[in-house]
Amino acid sequence: MDELQQKHTENMQTVDEARSKALRGEIDELSRETGNAAKAAKEKLDAMSKNTAKLKSVPDSVHANSAIIRIEENQYTHLVLKLAMAMAEYQRQQSANEAYYKAQTQRQIKIKYTNPDGSAIDDSTAAQLAEQVMENDTSSYIFQQSKEVLASIIETRNDIYRIEQSMRDLNQLFNDLAFLVNEQGELMDVILANVQQSTRYVENGRAALKKARRYQKKSRKKLICVLVCGVTIVALFVVVGVLAATIKIPRTTPSPSPG
């Protein structure tokens, strides 16, 4: 999905028609791949659910495979949540892209066209004309001012059409995931709480580790200071000893007594 979003962003910004055409082809391909991957994931989830249901359908099997059933149910719930969150993000990105393309259409109309009297087109008129383009109505006399600009606007409109089509293709998947998430809401809340708690534990662990490192650095500095002081004191004693051994104090000779 990140790559798809990058392609949309580049397509919004490029002014090179050849590059824009290539990007649209890449966007279509990535959209199909995303949709197929999501559908394949949903099919695997369905198969997992059926397998668990089969194990639970036989009383003896439930007793013999209780641990396996519990693990599979937890895995299934976790994967449903993960897929639902991924598809919700995909839906959010596509909606944002659609809104941007619509705003881009209005900007193109406002900048490239003028009213019959030559005055600038206001926001309200630009929005109305953009809506007409979305409804495949380009009969307004304003659009006759530039066929080239109109062709560019239609391409942007087609970008919006493609996004809407990709969302319609996944509409059933979105509905199924919404139902599953709602059906297992309580269990989902437990999983989310566990994930959040685990995240807090990790963050607390990191904070404790940083604190321990700071203490370790302080202790190391103190140890170095003590060692330096100790070495200095020993060095002073050695110097004093050496000086005492090498410096000879002259002995005074007693003066002879008179007579």
Side-chain angles (χ1 to χ4, degrees):
M1 288 193 296
D2 290 340
E3 185 180 0
L4 177 60
Q5 185 58 37
Q6 290 173 2
K7 298 297 182 183
H8 272 298
T9 301
E10 185 179 353
N11 187 40
M12 294 170 187
Q13 297 172 349
T14 187
V15 293
D16 185 338
E17 291 185 7
R19 179 55 184 158
S20 183
K21 183 177 180 180
L23 284 168
R24 288 186 173 102
E26 293 173 12
I27 287 171
D28 289 344
E29 181 63 25
L30 287 171
S31 296
R32 282 192 295 271
E33 290 178 1
T34 301
N36 291 337
K39 291 175 182 177
K42 177 60 170 54
E43 289 175 359
K44 289 182 179 179
L45 286 173
D46 291 341
M48 182 185 296
S49 178
K50 289 178 181 178
N51 183 64
T52 304
K54 185 177 180 180
L55 289 175
K56 294 172 68 175
S57 63
V58 181
D60 292 341
S61 177
V62 173
H63 179 72
N65 301 293
S66 59
I68 295 175
I69 292 172
R70 185 168 60 255
I71 291 172
E72 287 188 355
E73 286 179 336
N74 289 338
Q75 286 180 337
Y76 175 79
T77 302
H78 172 72
L79 292 174
V80 166
L81 177 60
K82 192 172 182 180
L83 179 59
M85 292 175 67
M87 296 314 298
E89 175 61 17
Y90 175 74
Q91 192 174 32
R92 185 197 66 77
Q93 289 181 355
Q94 291 292 70
S95 297
N97 292 332
E98 181 180 0
Y100 186 93
Y101 282 128
K102 287 182 177 180
Q104 187 180 51
T105 300
Q106 292 185 29
R107 284 196 300 271
Q108 286 178 300
I109 292 173
K110 188 175 179 180
I111 294 172
K112 301 294 185 179
Y113 291 116
T114 61
N115 289 312
D117 60 1
S119 61
I121 293 177
D122 58 25
D123 291 338
S124 177
T125 303
Q128 291 176 5
L129 291 171
E131 190 62 32
Q132 290 178 21
V133 173
M134 289 302 301
E135 295 173 357
N136 203 25
D137 178 9
T138 58
S139 60
S140 172
Y141 57 87
I142 291 179
F143 291 128
Q144 309 311 313
Q145 296 175 18
S146 174
K147 295 294 185 181
E148 183 179 352
V149 173
L150 179 59
S152 176
I153 290 174
I154 290 174
E155 283 296 338
T156 303
R157 179 203 63 189
N158 292 340
D159 290 332
I160 298 172
Y161 283 173
R162 282 189 283 269
I163 289 175
E164 291 176 344
Q165 183 60 49
S166 70
M167 300 297 283
R168 281 194 295 270
D169 290 343
L170 295 175
N171 185 61
Q172 186 59 48
L173 176 63
F174 289 135
N175 291 337
D176 291 345
L177 289 174
F179 174 77
L180 291 174
V181 170
N182 182 66
E183 186 180 46
Q184 303 181 51
E186 185 175 345
L187 187 54
M188 293 288 187
D189 291 340
V190 172
I191 291 176
L192 281 174
N194 290 336
V195 170
Q196 292 170 353
Q197 187 176 29
S198 299
T199 302
R200 285 195 296 271
Y201 286 152
V202 171
E203 291 175 351
N204 291 338
R206 288 176 179 172
L209 184 59
K210 289 181 180 178
K211 191 174 182 180
R213 285 175 178 171
R214 285 198 299 270
Y215 286 147
Q216 187 179 22
K217 288 180 180 179
K218 290 181 180 179
S219 299
R220 191 177 300 162
K221 288 180 180 178
K222 289 180 180 178
L223 178 60
I224 292 173
C225 290
V226 171
L227 289 175
V228 170
C229 292
V231 170
T232 302
I233 293 171
V234 171
L236 287 174
F237 277 115
V238 171
V239 170
V240 171
V242 171
L243 290 175
T246 56
I247 298 175
K248 294 181 179 180
I249 301 175
R251 299 173 65 182
T252 57
T253 304
S255 57
S257 58

